[in-house]
Amino acid sequence: MAANFMRSRVSILVCASLLTVFTCSINGQFRLFGPKSTPQPKQMRTASQLISRQAPLKVDQGLLQQAMPDNTRIVVSIPKQRAYLMIGDQIVADGPISSGKRGHGTPTGHFTVMEKDPNHHSSLYGNFVDSSGRIVRGGVSARVDSAPSGTHFAGAPMKWFLRLTGEGVGMHVGILPGYPASHGCIRESDDGAKLFYDHVKVGTPVNVGDY
């Protein structure tokens, strides 16, 4: 009887062990082949979030008191998307910009301010508006689009405009998405464009390039 009892006990232990192994295997399969968590799609950044990537206008107030149209110059860095108002090699102001996008790149090289216009309007890009001022077709090129009946072309506003080329490229207030996005002009923030405008003159040197 003792031998039979021992054999029965061994059989019970073996069955229990096999059941444990089987249960662990099943659980493992559920973990391995069970439903996986669906990855959450990346949320697109808003325009304000893109703008916040650029540091705001920085001004050296001590140097600003010395800045006059006769002693300043402008340097524009395309890679950094920044514009610098300078006295010699000292930076008076450092502001964010948006230069020309692909296919409409901002020309690089050495320029001078050819014209100053505080309330300039583009002769190339703008909107077709009706007699009441309502925009009928927006974001158009005057060279390509024909005006819908009963409308006229209204050039896009370019406040605090500093002309750099005879083709119309200049510096002015515009939207800053954090990357090159213009049709060739150098967009600035409101406060940056006003500060640069006030401290340069027709003839002020402007260098644009990979600085």
Side-chain angles (χ1 to χ4, degrees):
M1 288 183 65
N4 290 336
F5 176 76
M6 289 299 296
R7 281 196 297 270
S8 298
R9 186 171 182 181
V10 169
S11 298
I12 292 172
L13 290 174
V14 169
C15 291
S17 298
L18 290 174
L19 182 60
T20 300
V21 171
F22 178 74
T23 302
C24 291
S25 176
I26 293 297
N27 289 336
Q29 288 180 10
F30 275 118
R31 287 194 295 269
L32 183 61
F33 300 107
K36 297 180 180 179
S37 59
T38 304
Q40 295 298 317
K42 292 183 178 179
Q43 291 185 343
M44 293 185 65
R45 286 172 290 186
T46 63
S48 61
Q49 288 173 320
L50 286 169
I51 292 172
S52 68
R53 294 190 309 169
Q54 290 180 291
L57 178 71
K58 303 173 185 176
V59 182
D60 184 321
Q61 295 296 335
L63 284 175
L64 185 62
Q65 295 180 5
Q66 305 173 35
M68 299 170 57
D70 289 329
N71 66 1
T72 57
R73 65 188 180 98
I74 296 174
V75 174
V76 176
S77 171
I78 300 298
K80 296 178 181 177
Q81 292 290 281
R82 306 291 292 184
Y84 307 92
L85 180 68
M86 306 188 69
I87 299 176
D89 293 328
Q90 296 180 294
I91 298 175
V92 178
D94 165 7
I97 66 158
S98 177
S99 58
K101 60 186 176 181
R102 182 175 296 181
H104 297 274
T106 299
T108 59
H110 304 291
F111 307 92
T112 58
V113 175
M114 300 174 62
E115 174 193 358
K116 294 179 64 176
D117 184 352
N119 291 297
H120 187 72
H121 286 78
S122 175
S123 60
L124 299 178
Y125 300 100
N127 306 307
F128 286 123
V129 300
D130 60 20
S131 57
S132 65
R134 181 177 63 90
I135 296 176
V136 175
R137 187 187 301 168
V140 298
S141 169
R143 288 177 174 173
V144 178
D145 295 277
S146 58
S149 178
T151 69
H152 65 276
F153 178 78
M158 297 179 169
K159 195 171 179 63
W160 309 120
F161 182 74
L162 301 175
R163 180 184 296 276
L164 302 184
T165 74
E167 291 72 33
V169 173
M171 303 178 69
H172 59 81
V173 174
I175 297 172
L176 303 178
Y179 50 84
S182 79
H183 285 95
C185 282
I186 299 165
R187 299 176 183 171
E188 301 175 89
S189 61
D190 290 271
D191 51 354
K194 178 66 163 61
L195 186 145
F196 278 61
Y197 186 94
D198 287 343
H199 291 86
V200 301
K201 64 179 183 179
V202 172
T204 293
V206 181
N207 295 328
V208 182
D210 297 335
Y211 301 109

